[in-house]
Structure formats: structure tokens, C-alpha cells
DNA sequence: GCTTGAACCTCTAGTTACTTGAGGAGGTAC
DNA sequence: GTACCTCCTCAAGTAACTAGAGGTTCAAGC
């Protein structure tokens, strides 16, 4: 099963060919062997390595983190506990992002809800809800609080 | 309170000065008035507009979406319902991202947990968990399934 | 052997939303 | 007057690719 060309490798790993060349360029993949005509040839080891890289990228690891993991995978002097630590670190970042995104979701949902409750159209410049966004650190109302009157021209 | 310089505007809105210049360059902020010496001067209207922009960006709207919202805010012929629709659309995207991120969080947590359960260090290249990542579409075990034996050299 | 068309090559530029840095000018306090 | 801060413009850098131009190689069919 050796001797894949770039297109076949791409298909096998769910990557685009230009992305593979890009990974080579930045040194994430070794420089591929070439056929007489200059076309890249890949082996099963490359399939494995690229799959690893793609999986890590799907996991949201940055290129630099993936680089560490790849090196770690191939260096018999390094402990795999290091990978766990990287993952742990990444997990913390993902959880922080998750919390942020949840807050964001609540805010936007509240925004939409308050639009539904208070506005029935009308000119943008007079919409009290849009206007709110240009004030500093105004909390978007946490749904159905009836805190504000509708836009003068709405409803 | 008029006549802010760029640094003051930056402070008031929590933006960096280069970012303000960038917004001007891409036409998100109007071209600022200048002092005799060429320094930009801003008014309260600019504070308001930039605050609006920053709030929208914090909400995860893209520059182009913000551009729409800003135009909408200032065009008396457009309905604010359009803003609601943009927000609604954005909400859907945020929810999709949220779902993805949750799945990711579970996967990484499972990875860390299985490292903790199966590995106590050992060379990276022989770690079965790292090795898993180079195989196609292998589910990271959903915690404590005991599916696999520990790395040969670990534990 | 020739043709055709897909797949490949390199190189450059574009994407998003800024950030960083160089090198110089304006403004203000002492 | 001089020190120092803030400002100016312009160019390049960042992440992680994607897209396009223009040319070459390869495999299949005749």
C-alpha cells in the first residue's frame, strides 16, 4: 500500500492537497520523497503521521501544540505524560472558551427575545435596543424583564 | 467632553489605538477630523459608535456583520427588525459552535482520563493512546471503559 | 506514438481581524 | 530647551490555511 501521491494521501486523511504542502513547508510533515517527475510520494508512515496531525487539529490544538505532540510521538526519550499535560492545558482553555460562548449565547438569545418583545420594526437609528449596544457595559436584559419601553417608532 | 485624541478614545472604549486606525482604514469608522498637527480628534458620537462596534465584536459578529449593523443604526430608512434577524442568524451559528465545543471538551477530558488510567509515563512513541490518534476515526473511549491495555512501557 | 484530461508542480496573493515595529513628528511639563 | 510621551504613516507579521495562475507529469484510450 506504499507509494501514494498527494491526492491519494489527501483523500485517505481528509485533508486538502495544498494543506499537505503547507504542512510540509512549515515542517510539520517531513519533506516528501519525489518521483522522477517531481511528484511527491508518500508511505503508510506519512498517512499515519498526517492522520495524527489532523486529529489533533480537530481537537483544536494549535499548529505549535501539534508540533510538540508530533515530536513527542517520535522521540523515544520523551514521556507520553507530556502529552497528557498538553491535553490538560488545552482542556482548560476549551472550558474557558465554552463558558464564554455560553454567556454569549444567553446574551444573543436575550437580545433576540427583547427585540421580539419590544420592537415590531421601525427605523434602526431610533431602536432603543440597538442604541443600548452603544452604551458602555449595559447588560442585555436577561429575558422578559420588561425593563425598557419599546422604541418610540416601533410596535 | 469633546475633542478626544486617539489614546483617550482607546481608553474609553477598551480598544487599542492601532485598531481604531484600522477601523478607520476599512471604513467602519468615519475618517476622523484632524488637529493642525495631523492628530486625530474624536467626539462623543465617535465614542458611541466605537463602543457599539466593540460590543458587537465581543458578541462575535464579524466585521462585515458589524458593518451592516452600523449602517442600519444610522439609516432611518432601514428597519431594526433586520438587526434581530442578523442576531438570530448569529445565534444559530453560536449554538452550532457551542455543540462542537462541548463534544470537543468531552473528547479531551476522556483523553486525559484515559492517560491517567492507562499510562504512568514512558516513551511517547510507544504510548498506545497517542498511537490511537494516528488511526482513523477512532473514538476516544468515553471514560473508564477499559477497552485497551496500557502502553507497553507505561504503568 | 499521440492526444486528452486529470492530477500534479511552484509561486504568489488573499483571507480575518487585527498586532507589532520602524522611523519620525507633535505636544507638554519642567 | 530638552526630555518624554503620544501621535503619525507605512510596512510587515500573525494563524492556518485557501485560491488562482501558469506550467508539467502521468495514465488511459485510440
Amino acid at each position: 500500500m506504499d507509494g501514494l501521491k498527494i491526492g491519494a494521501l489527501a483523500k485517505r486523511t481528509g485533508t486538502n492537497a495544498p494543506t499537505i504542502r503547507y504542512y510540509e513547508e512549515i515542517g510539520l510533515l517531513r519533506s516528501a520523497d519525489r518521483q522522477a517527475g517531481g511528484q511527491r510520494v508518500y508511505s503508510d508512515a506519512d498517512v499515519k503521521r498526517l492522520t495524527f496531525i489532523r486529529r489533533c487539529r480537530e481537537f483544536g490544538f494549535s499548529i505549535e501544540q501539534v508540533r510538540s505532540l508530533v515530536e513527542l510521538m517520535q522521540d523515544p526519550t520523551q514521556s507520553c505524560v507530556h502529552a497528557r499535560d498538553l491535553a490538560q492545558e488545552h482542556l482548560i482553555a476549551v472550558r474557558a472558551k465554552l463558558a464564554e460562548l455560553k454567556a454569549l449565547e444567553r446574551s444573543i438569545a436575550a437580545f433576540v427575545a427583547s427585540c421580539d418583545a419590544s420592537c415590531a420594526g421601525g427605523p434602526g437609528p431610533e431602536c432603543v435596543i440597538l442604541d443600548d449596544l452603544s452604551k458602555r457595559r449595559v447588560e442585555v436584559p436577561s429575558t422578559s424583564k420588561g425593563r425598557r419601553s419599546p422604541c418610540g417608532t416601533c410596535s
Side-chain angles (χ1 to χ4, degrees), chain A residues 13-24:
Chain A
T13 58
T15 317
N16 296 334
T19 302
I20 295 174
R21 291 189 201 104
Y22 168 72
Y23 286 166
E24 181 180 318

Side-chain angles (χ1 to χ4, degrees), chain A residues 19-152:
Chain A
T19 302
I20 295 174
R21 291 189 201 104
Y22 168 72
Y23 286 166
E24 181 180 318
E25 193 191 322
I26 64 172
L28 204 52
L29 284 174
R30 65 177 187 91
S31 287
D33 298 334
R34 303 290 181 125
Q35 280 184 337
Q39 304 201 347
R40 291 172 178 82
V41 200
Y42 297 95
S43 69
D44 277 352
D46 296 310
V47 174
K48 196 172 160 180
R49 178 154 176 168
L50 182 53
T51 305
F52 178 80
I53 292 168
R54 290 310 298 176
R55 297 276 297 135
C56 289
R57 294 285 302 123
E58 277 167 30
F59 271 58
F61 288 95
S62 73
I63 292 283
E64 285 317 305
Q65 285 174 316
V66 176
R67 199 189 297 279
S68 301
L69 288 168
V70 164
E71 274 162 21
L72 188 151
M73 258 200 88
Q74 305 198 314
D75 178 358
T77 69
Q78 280 199 58
S79 159
C80 72
V81 164
H82 186 200
R84 195 217 90 113
D85 292 345
L86 267 176
Q88 174 76 48
E89 208 174 280
H90 185 47
L91 183 57
I92 291 167
V94 166
R95 283 183 173 153
K97 187 86 199 158
L98 202 54
E100 249 177 60
L101 211 56
K102 273 180 190 161
L104 180 61
E105 192 236 313
R106 273 195 297 275
S107 298
I108 303 177
F111 175 84
V112 171
S114 70
C115 278
D116 285 343
S118 315
C119 277
E126 291 169 37
C127 173
V128 91
I129 291 166
L130 279 180
D131 195 56
D132 251 18
L133 285 172
S134 32
K135 293 186 182 123
R136 283 201 284 170
R137 290 274 130 230
V138 171
E139 287 300 302
V140 172
S142 55
T143 65
S144 69
K145 269 285 203 48
R147 274 208 305 105
R148 71 185 65 266
S149 50
C151 320

